[in-house]
Amino acid sequence: MASEPHITVERWTRASVVAATLALAVAALLALGPLVLGANAIDKLTTLFIYVILAATWNALAGYGGLVSIGQQAFFGLGAYAAVRLADAGMSVYPALVLAALLVGLVAWPLALFMLRLRGGEFAIGMWVVAELAHLLVNLDGLVQGETGTSLIVLNAYAADARHAFNYWISLGSMVAILGILFVLLRGRAGTAIQAIRDNEDAAASVGVKVAATKRAVFIIAAFGTALAGALWLATAITFQPKTYFSVEWTAYMIFMVLVGGLGTFEGAILGAVIFFVIEALFGAAGVWYLVGLGATALVFALFLSRGLWGTFATRFDIHLLPVGYRLVIGRRAPAHPSDVAVPER
């Protein structure tokens, strides 16, 4: 007698448990970086950590929440600007980096009340307008001196080796914290609600999902993470020039990382950041052709490999290392008699 189809709901697998354990172990080992690595390697890894934050937060906003923004540079620039202002007011520089991001997150709350009324392309363009407006307003600050900019001169109080190490540790800690927050959020009821809104906002509302509150939450978290990345970038660059920090290139980089790695996959954002980091290290000196190459690559992925590298790989081999959702496993029930044969469904 043929066995009946058996459907189970699965979240953690042996592979995902191993992957999560290894990820924590790698983070612990990376904490030893300044003790064993040279200044150049420390600076490069610091940059990578910031890229991971940018990719993960844009992926949460667009890949999971369906809120495609081309104006996230607004929060990146405001995070750096707020850090400059707090340091100028006499606050210790490294706490100022985190507080700056928190303040930008607070600013994002009333902004969300207006921007989240927009959908699709209107939201994307609206965020770009917000970024341009923020750029203009920051230029009016006498401390910034227009496009001339200013510097986070208080960092000069630290010896070079100490500054590199502190930048590394705070960037690593921020990356781990942001990834942890997003992982927990997306695995919970909020994550299910976020993805339901992305798939069909009206249908989600009809089954009781609090659409406005859920979208506002992911918007604010993405703003906070992006602002934190901007403040951390300021700590590594020291100088602050509005046209650099409010450049749309930052959002273009986020989009590239997520499209190449895998839109709407937790692992894909991390993989995309690593790939972008490697490409930049190898071809960043090529100038405008480097940017042309990034744009062409992103276009190819959008047209022919829409799931990205990780999304395609995970679908092809059914591997999920850091699962944030549930998946159905369809097979056969165990045979009731040794003579029954159970063949897994494909």
Side-chain angles (χ1 to χ4, degrees):
M1 182 175 64
S3 57
E4 298 178 359
H6 180 51
I7 300 176
T8 58
V9 179
E10 183 180 80
R11 174 169 268 191
W12 286 103
T13 64
R14 182 177 300 177
S16 63
V17 171
V18 172
T21 303
L22 286 176
L24 293 175
V26 168
L29 288 174
L30 285 173
L32 303 176
L35 305 179
V36 296
L37 299 175
N40 186 54
I42 290 172
D43 288 346
K44 288 186 178 300
L45 284 173
T46 301
T47 299
L48 174 59
F49 300 154
I50 295 172
Y51 286 163
V52 171
I53 294 173
L54 290 173
T57 52
W58 196 86
N59 186 46
L61 183 68
Y64 286 100
L67 297 169
V68 178
S69 168
I70 58 173
Q72 291 304 100
Q73 67 271 17
F75 303 120
F76 187 85
L78 287 175
Y81 169 70
V84 168
R85 263 295 170 192
L86 289 172
D88 183 69
M91 187 174 185
S92 181
V93 62
Y94 286 104
L97 302 180
V98 179
L99 181 57
L102 290 172
L103 291 175
V104 173
L106 289 176
V107 171
W109 184 83
L111 180 62
L113 297 178
F114 297 97
M115 297 308 301
L116 294 180
R117 295 176 182 271
L118 306 176
R119 295 192 183 186
E122 292 178 345
F123 174 79
I125 298 301
M127 285 303 303
W128 177 78
V129 172
V130 168
E132 291 301 304
L133 179 60
H135 182 185
L136 292 174
L137 291 175
V138 167
N139 274 349
L140 297 177
D141 190 341
L143 176 65
V144 177
Q145 305 176 71
E147 294 297 356
T148 302
T150 185
S151 299
L152 200 61
I153 57 176
V154 291
L155 282 173
N156 293 329
Y158 295 85
D161 290 342
R163 185 172 69 245
H164 292 306
F166 290 153
N167 289 344
Y168 176 95
W169 278 320
I170 193 172
S171 298
L172 173 62
S174 298
M175 179 190 72
V176 172
I178 290 294
L179 290 177
I181 290 171
L182 291 175
F183 189 70
V184 172
L185 175 73
L186 294 171
R187 282 178 62 87
R189 295 181 63 181
T192 304
I194 289 168
Q195 294 174 72
I197 293 169
R198 174 197 63 191
D199 295 337
N200 191 313
E201 185 171 320
D202 295 328
S206 70
V207 295
V209 173
K210 297 180 179 179
V211 173
T214 302
K215 290 171 66 176
R216 188 161 55 246
V218 71
F219 181 86
I220 292 171
I221 291 173
F224 165 76
T226 307
L228 183 57
L232 294 172
W233 191 269
L234 173 66
T236 63
I238 299 180
T239 59
F240 174 75
Q241 291 180 306
K243 65 181 178 182
T244 299
Y245 285 80
F246 287 96
S247 171
V248 72
E249 286 183 5
W250 289 107
T251 297
Y253 294 159
M254 298 179 215
I255 295 173
F256 176 87
M257 290 185 280
V258 174
L259 281 180
V260 171
L263 182 67
T265 63
F266 196 85
E267 305 92 335
I270 301 172
L271 175 62
V274 173
I275 292 172
F276 175 72
F277 172 76
V278 172
I279 292 175
E280 185 181 54
L282 295 176
F283 306 107
V288 67
W289 288 108
Y290 160 69
L291 298 176
V292 171
L294 287 181
T297 302
L299 181 61
V300 168
F301 271 83
L303 292 175
F304 303 108
L305 204 65
S306 60
R307 292 179 178 270
L309 291 176
W310 181 258
T312 302
F313 176 81
T315 302
R316 174 67 179 83
F317 298 100
D318 195 27
I319 295 177
H320 306 272
L321 299 183
L322 296 172
V324 296
Y326 295 94
R327 51 195 291 267
L328 294 178
V329 180
I330 304 175
R332 297 282 187 179
R333 293 186 183 278
H337 188 274
S339 61
D340 292 335
V341 178
V343 181
E345 289 188 356
R346 296 185 182 275

mmCIF file of all heavy atoms in Angstrom, residues 165-200:
data_model
loop_
_atom_site.group_PDB
_atom_site.id
_atom_site.type_symbol
_atom_site.label_atom_id
_atom_site.label_comp_id
_atom_site.label_asym_id
_atom_site.label_seq_id
_atom_site.Cartn_x
_atom_site.Cartn_y
_atom_site.Cartn_z
ATOM 1 N N ALA A 165 42.070 50.583 16.196
ATOM 2 C CA ALA A 165 41.518 49.466 16.964
ATOM 3 C C ALA A 165 40.113 49.774 17.462
ATOM 4 O O ALA A 165 39.202 48.934 17.370
ATOM 5 C CB ALA A 165 42.436 49.136 18.142
ATOM 6 N N PHE A 166 39.901 50.985 17.982
ATOM 7 C CA PHE A 166 38.570 51.359 18.479
ATOM 8 C C PHE A 166 37.550 51.385 17.347
ATOM 9 O O PHE A 166 36.410 50.938 17.516
ATOM 10 C CB PHE A 166 38.630 52.720 19.175
ATOM 11 C CG PHE A 166 39.364 52.705 20.481
ATOM 12 C CD1 PHE A 166 39.992 53.849 20.963
ATOM 13 C CD2 PHE A 166 39.445 51.544 21.245
ATOM 14 C CE1 PHE A 166 40.674 53.838 22.170
ATOM 15 C CE2 PHE A 166 40.126 51.518 22.451
ATOM 16 C CZ PHE A 166 40.741 52.679 22.914
ATOM 17 N N ASN A 167 37.964 51.924 16.191
ATOM 18 C CA ASN A 167 37.062 51.937 15.032
ATOM 19 C C ASN A 167 36.678 50.516 14.630
ATOM 20 O O ASN A 167 35.527 50.233 14.286
ATOM 21 C CB ASN A 167 37.722 52.642 13.845
ATOM 22 C CG ASN A 167 37.841 54.137 14.046
ATOM 23 O OD1 ASN A 167 37.194 54.725 14.915
ATOM 24 N ND2 ASN A 167 38.685 54.778 13.252
ATOM 25 N N TYR A 168 37.655 49.638 14.665
ATOM 26 C CA TYR A 168 37.424 48.238 14.303
ATOM 27 C C TYR A 168 36.441 47.591 15.266
ATOM 28 O O TYR A 168 35.453 46.971 14.852
ATOM 29 C CB TYR A 168 38.767 47.503 14.324
ATOM 30 C CG TYR A 168 38.679 46.020 14.055
ATOM 31 C CD1 TYR A 168 38.876 45.521 12.770
ATOM 32 C CD2 TYR A 168 38.434 45.108 15.076
ATOM 33 C CE1 TYR A 168 38.821 44.161 12.510
ATOM 34 C CE2 TYR A 168 38.374 43.742 14.830
ATOM 35 C CZ TYR A 168 38.566 43.277 13.545
ATOM 36 O OH TYR A 168 38.507 41.926 13.292
ATOM 37 N N TRP A 169 36.680 47.746 16.551
ATOM 38 C CA TRP A 169 35.839 47.082 17.543
ATOM 39 C C TRP A 169 34.414 47.615 17.544
ATOM 40 O O TRP A 169 33.458 46.845 17.639
ATOM 41 C CB TRP A 169 36.463 47.211 18.931
ATOM 42 C CG TRP A 169 37.528 46.198 19.197
ATOM 43 C CD1 TRP A 169 37.524 44.879 18.838
ATOM 44 C CD2 TRP A 169 38.775 46.415 19.861
ATOM 45 N NE1 TRP A 169 38.690 44.257 19.238
ATOM 46 C CE2 TRP A 169 39.472 45.181 19.871
ATOM 47 C CE3 TRP A 169 39.376 47.535 20.457
ATOM 48 C CZ2 TRP A 169 40.727 45.031 20.462
ATOM 49 C CZ3 TRP A 169 40.625 47.387 21.038
ATOM 50 C CH2 TRP A 169 41.294 46.148 21.042
ATOM 51 N N ILE A 170 34.253 48.929 17.438
ATOM 52 C CA ILE A 170 32.904 49.473 17.458
ATOM 53 C C ILE A 170 32.155 49.117 16.168
ATOM 54 O O ILE A 170 30.940 48.877 16.191
ATOM 55 C CB ILE A 170 32.915 51.002 17.685
ATOM 56 C CG1 ILE A 170 31.492 51.488 18.025
ATOM 57 C CG2 ILE A 170 33.461 51.752 16.486
ATOM 58 C CD1 ILE A 170 31.431 52.937 18.450
ATOM 59 N N SER A 171 32.878 49.011 15.050
ATOM 60 C CA SER A 171 32.241 48.607 13.794
ATOM 61 C C SER A 171 31.849 47.134 13.839
ATOM 62 O O SER A 171 30.747 46.762 13.401
ATOM 63 C CB SER A 171 33.174 48.870 12.609
ATOM 64 O OG SER A 171 33.453 50.249 12.482
ATOM 65 N N LEU A 172 32.726 46.305 14.365
ATOM 66 C CA LEU A 172 32.413 44.882 14.502
ATOM 67 C C LEU A 172 31.225 44.682 15.435
ATOM 68 O O LEU A 172 30.284 43.938 15.122
ATOM 69 C CB LEU A 172 33.630 44.127 15.031
ATOM 70 C CG LEU A 172 33.409 42.653 15.395
ATOM 71 C CD1 LEU A 172 32.989 41.851 14.168
ATOM 72 C CD2 LEU A 172 34.680 42.061 16.013
ATOM 73 N N GLY A 173 31.264 45.354 16.592
ATOM 74 C CA GLY A 173 30.161 45.229 17.536
ATOM 75 C C GLY A 173 28.848 45.721 16.948
ATOM 76 O O GLY A 173 27.790 45.108 17.161
ATOM 77 N N SER A 174 28.901 46.815 16.195
ATOM 78 C CA SER A 174 27.691 47.360 15.570
ATOM 79 C C SER A 174 27.141 46.389 14.530
ATOM 80 O O SER A 174 25.922 46.178 14.445
ATOM 81 C CB SER A 174 27.998 48.706 14.920
ATOM 82 O OG SER A 174 28.409 49.655 15.888
ATOM 83 N N MET A 175 28.025 45.800 13.734
ATOM 84 C CA MET A 175 27.585 44.841 12.718
ATOM 85 C C MET A 175 26.900 43.641 13.360
ATOM 86 O O MET A 175 25.807 43.230 12.940
ATOM 87 C CB MET A 175 28.775 44.373 11.880
ATOM 88 C CG MET A 175 28.406 43.353 10.815
ATOM 89 S SD MET A 175 29.843 42.589 10.025
ATOM 90 C CE MET A 175 30.454 41.533 11.365
ATOM 91 N N VAL A 176 27.523 43.084 14.390
ATOM 92 C CA VAL A 176 26.945 41.924 15.071
ATOM 93 C C VAL A 176 25.598 42.292 15.693
ATOM 94 O O VAL A 176 24.630 41.528 15.612
ATOM 95 C CB VAL A 176 27.915 41.389 16.138
ATOM 96 C CG1 VAL A 176 27.248 40.306 16.984
ATOM 97 C CG2 VAL A 176 29.183 40.832 15.478
ATOM 98 N N ALA A 177 25.533 43.480 16.308
ATOM 99 C CA ALA A 177 24.283 43.913 16.944
ATOM 100 C C ALA A 177 23.171 44.107 15.910
ATOM 101 O O ALA A 177 22.034 43.652 16.121
ATOM 102 C CB ALA A 177 24.512 45.202 17.723
ATOM 103 N N ILE A 178 23.481 44.766 14.798
ATOM 104 C CA ILE A 178 22.473 44.998 13.762
ATOM 105 C C ILE A 178 21.993 43.675 13.169
ATOM 106 O O ILE A 178 20.781 43.451 12.999
ATOM 107 C CB ILE A 178 23.037 45.898 12.644
ATOM 108 C CG1 ILE A 178 23.239 47.326 13.156
ATOM 109 C CG2 ILE A 178 22.125 45.896 11.427
ATOM 110 C CD1 ILE A 178 21.960 48.053 13.506
ATOM 111 N N LEU A 179 22.920 42.775 12.848
ATOM 112 C CA LEU A 179 22.532 41.482 12.297
ATOM 113 C C LEU A 179 21.690 40.699 13.308
ATOM 114 O O LEU A 179 20.709 40.040 12.936
ATOM 115 C CB LEU A 179 23.778 40.669 11.914
ATOM 116 C CG LEU A 179 24.573 41.187 10.704
ATOM 117 C CD1 LEU A 179 25.817 40.329 10.488
ATOM 118 C CD2 LEU A 179 23.714 41.190 9.443
ATOM 119 N N GLY A 180 22.067 40.777 14.584
ATOM 120 C CA GLY A 180 21.303 40.087 15.616
ATOM 121 C C GLY A 180 19.894 40.640 15.742
ATOM 122 O O GLY A 180 18.918 39.884 15.842
ATOM 123 N N ILE A 181 19.776 41.966 15.746
ATOM 124 C CA ILE A 181 18.450 42.602 15.850
ATOM 125 C C ILE A 181 17.574 42.208 14.665
ATOM 126 O O ILE A 181 16.402 41.833 14.831
ATOM 127 C CB ILE A 181 18.602 44.131 15.927
ATOM 128 C CG1 ILE A 181 19.221 44.544 17.266
ATOM 129 C CG2 ILE A 181 17.248 44.825 15.736
ATOM 130 C CD1 ILE A 181 19.613 46.010 17.335
ATOM 131 N N LEU A 182 18.135 42.277 13.472
ATOM 132 C CA LEU A 182 17.358 41.944 12.281
ATOM 133 C C LEU A 182 16.979 40.463 12.263
ATOM 134 O O LEU A 182 15.855 40.102 11.873
ATOM 135 C CB LEU A 182 18.152 42.293 11.019
ATOM 136 C CG LEU A 182 18.361 43.787 10.761
ATOM 137 C CD1 LEU A 182 19.258 43.990 9.540
ATOM 138 C CD2 LEU A 182 17.032 44.499 10.569
ATOM 139 N N PHE A 183 17.890 39.611 12.689
ATOM 140 C CA PHE A 183 17.625 38.172 12.703
ATOM 141 C C PHE A 183 16.470 37.848 13.638
ATOM 142 O O PHE A 183 15.537 37.119 13.288
ATOM 143 C CB PHE A 183 18.884 37.420 13.120
ATOM 144 C CG PHE A 183 18.780 35.923 12.964
ATOM 145 C CD1 PHE A 183 18.738 35.348 11.702
ATOM 146 C CD2 PHE A 183 18.728 35.093 14.068
ATOM 147 C CE1 PHE A 183 18.636 33.979 11.545
ATOM 148 C CE2 PHE A 183 18.631 33.722 13.928
ATOM 149 C CZ PHE A 183 18.584 33.156 12.663
ATOM 150 N N VAL A 184 16.518 38.406 14.846
ATOM 151 C CA VAL A 184 15.440 38.171 15.821
ATOM 152 C C VAL A 184 14.124 38.770 15.326
ATOM 153 O O VAL A 184 13.056 38.149 15.438
ATOM 154 C CB VAL A 184 15.829 38.753 17.192
ATOM 155 C CG1 VAL A 184 14.646 38.705 18.164
ATOM 156 C CG2 VAL A 184 17.018 38.004 17.780
ATOM 157 N N LEU A 185 14.195 39.979 14.775
ATOM 158 C CA LEU A 185 12.986 40.635 14.280
ATOM 159 C C LEU A 185 12.335 39.828 13.168
ATOM 160 O O LEU A 185 11.114 39.581 13.189
ATOM 161 C CB LEU A 185 13.336 42.040 13.769
ATOM 162 C CG LEU A 185 12.188 42.813 13.104
ATOM 163 C CD1 LEU A 185 11.197 43.275 14.156
ATOM 164 C CD2 LEU A 185 12.727 43.998 12.314
ATOM 165 N N LEU A 186 13.127 39.407 12.192
ATOM 166 C CA LEU A 186 12.575 38.721 11.036
ATOM 167 C C LEU A 186 12.104 37.313 11.365
ATOM 168 O O LEU A 186 11.235 36.764 10.670
ATOM 169 C CB LEU A 186 13.612 38.674 9.910
ATOM 170 C CG LEU A 186 13.976 40.033 9.303
ATOM 171 C CD1 LEU A 186 15.156 39.910 8.355
ATOM 172 C CD2 LEU A 186 12.772 40.646 8.592
ATOM 173 N N ARG A 187 12.638 36.712 12.424
ATOM 174 C CA ARG A 187 12.202 35.374 12.819
ATOM 175 C C ARG A 187 10.908 35.396 13.624
ATOM 176 O O ARG A 187 10.254 34.363 13.794
ATOM 177 C CB ARG A 187 13.289 34.689 13.650
ATOM 178 C CG ARG A 187 14.425 34.131 12.823
ATOM 179 C CD ARG A 187 15.477 33.506 13.733
ATOM 180 N NE ARG A 187 14.927 32.398 14.496
ATOM 181 C CZ ARG A 187 14.867 31.137 14.065
ATOM 182 N NH1 ARG A 187 15.276 30.853 12.837
ATOM 183 N NH2 ARG A 187 14.387 30.188 14.813
ATOM 184 N N GLY A 188 10.541 36.549 14.144
ATOM 185 C CA GLY A 188 9.351 36.635 14.976
ATOM 186 C C GLY A 188 8.102 36.977 14.187
ATOM 187 O O GLY A 188 8.077 36.976 12.955
ATOM 188 N N ARG A 189 7.039 37.303 14.921
ATOM 189 C CA ARG A 189 5.772 37.648 14.285
ATOM 190 C C ARG A 189 5.913 38.905 13.434
ATOM 191 O O ARG A 189 5.262 39.032 12.395
ATOM 192 C CB ARG A 189 4.712 37.859 15.360
ATOM 193 C CG ARG A 189 4.382 36.613 16.153
ATOM 194 C CD ARG A 189 3.300 36.873 17.189
ATOM 195 N NE ARG A 189 2.039 37.270 16.557
ATOM 196 C CZ ARG A 189 0.948 37.577 17.226
ATOM 197 N NH1 ARG A 189 0.958 37.568 18.557
ATOM 198 N NH2 ARG A 189 -0.159 37.922 16.583
ATOM 199 N N ALA A 190 6.770 39.821 13.892
ATOM 200 C CA ALA A 190 6.982 41.042 13.113
ATOM 201 C C ALA A 190 7.553 40.724 11.741
ATOM 202 O O ALA A 190 7.174 41.338 10.739
ATOM 203 C CB ALA A 190 7.901 41.994 13.866
ATOM 204 N N GLY A 191 8.461 39.753 11.698
ATOM 205 C CA GLY A 191 9.039 39.371 10.417
ATOM 206 C C GLY A 191 8.010 38.789 9.469
ATOM 207 O O GLY A 191 8.004 39.080 8.263
ATOM 208 N N THR A 192 7.131 37.968 10.010
ATOM 209 C CA THR A 192 6.050 37.411 9.188
ATOM 210 C C THR A 192 5.141 38.517 8.679
ATOM 211 O O THR A 192 4.725 38.524 7.512
ATOM 212 C CB THR A 192 5.232 36.401 10.008
ATOM 213 O OG1 THR A 192 6.097 35.380 10.517
ATOM 214 C CG2 THR A 192 4.152 35.764 9.154
ATOM 215 N N ALA A 193 4.849 39.485 9.547
ATOM 216 C CA ALA A 193 3.997 40.606 9.149
ATOM 217 C C ALA A 193 4.671 41.452 8.077
ATOM 218 O O ALA A 193 4.029 41.880 7.103
ATOM 219 C CB ALA A 193 3.675 41.467 10.374
ATOM 220 N N ILE A 194 5.969 41.700 8.229
ATOM 221 C CA ILE A 194 6.712 42.499 7.259
ATOM 222 C C ILE A 194 6.639 41.875 5.871
ATOM 223 O O ILE A 194 6.379 42.546 4.866
ATOM 224 C CB ILE A 194 8.180 42.648 7.710
ATOM 225 C CG1 ILE A 194 8.273 43.565 8.934
ATOM 226 C CG2 ILE A 194 9.041 43.199 6.568
ATOM 227 C CD1 ILE A 194 9.622 43.527 9.607
ATOM 228 N N GLN A 195 6.858 40.558 5.804
ATOM 229 C CA GLN A 195 6.849 39.882 4.511
ATOM 230 C C GLN A 195 5.445 39.779 3.933
ATOM 231 O O GLN A 195 5.260 39.811 2.711
ATOM 232 C CB GLN A 195 7.479 38.501 4.663
ATOM 233 C CG GLN A 195 8.961 38.581 5.016
ATOM 234 C CD GLN A 195 9.572 37.226 5.308
ATOM 235 O OE1 GLN A 195 9.778 36.426 4.393
ATOM 236 N NE2 GLN A 195 9.865 36.955 6.576
ATOM 237 N N ALA A 196 4.444 39.664 4.812
ATOM 238 C CA ALA A 196 3.057 39.649 4.331
ATOM 239 C C ALA A 196 2.698 40.984 3.693
ATOM 240 O O ALA A 196 2.038 41.037 2.650
ATOM 241 C CB ALA A 196 2.115 39.343 5.495
ATOM 242 N N ILE A 197 3.148 42.074 4.303
ATOM 243 C CA ILE A 197 2.900 43.412 3.749
ATOM 244 C C ILE A 197 3.609 43.564 2.413
ATOM 245 O O ILE A 197 3.066 44.122 1.458
ATOM 246 C CB ILE A 197 3.368 44.487 4.745
ATOM 247 C CG1 ILE A 197 2.494 44.458 6.003
ATOM 248 C CG2 ILE A 197 3.337 45.875 4.107
ATOM 249 C CD1 ILE A 197 3.032 45.300 7.137
ATOM 250 N N ARG A 198 4.821 43.054 2.331
ATOM 251 C CA ARG A 198 5.572 43.122 1.070
ATOM 252 C C ARG A 198 4.826 42.399 -0.049
ATOM 253 O O ARG A 198 4.728 42.891 -1.176
ATOM 254 C CB ARG A 198 6.949 42.478 1.258
ATOM 255 C CG ARG A 198 7.771 42.353 -0.025
ATOM 256 C CD ARG A 198 8.899 41.352 0.161
ATOM 257 N NE ARG A 198 8.373 40.019 0.425
ATOM 258 C CZ ARG A 198 9.118 38.984 0.836
ATOM 259 N NH1 ARG A 198 10.407 39.157 1.056
ATOM 260 N NH2 ARG A 198 8.570 37.806 1.040
ATOM 261 N N ASP A 199 4.287 41.229 0.258
ATOM 262 C CA ASP A 199 3.632 40.428 -0.772
ATOM 263 C C ASP A 199 2.285 41.020 -1.193
ATOM 264 O O ASP A 199 1.956 41.034 -2.380
ATOM 265 C CB ASP A 199 3.442 38.997 -0.278
ATOM 266 C CG ASP A 199 4.777 38.294 -0.051
ATOM 267 O OD1 ASP A 199 5.776 38.720 -0.660
ATOM 268 O OD2 ASP A 199 4.814 37.339 0.739
ATOM 269 N N ASN A 200 1.499 41.502 -0.225
ATOM 270 C CA ASN A 200 0.208 42.104 -0.544
ATOM 271 C C ASN A 200 -0.267 42.888 0.672
ATOM 272 O O ASN A 200 -0.764 42.311 1.637
ATOM 273 C CB ASN A 200 -0.824 41.037 -0.924
ATOM 274 C CG ASN A 200 -2.085 41.641 -1.523
ATOM 275 O OD1 ASN A 200 -2.642 42.603 -0.997
ATOM 276 N ND2 ASN A 200 -2.547 41.069 -2.634
#
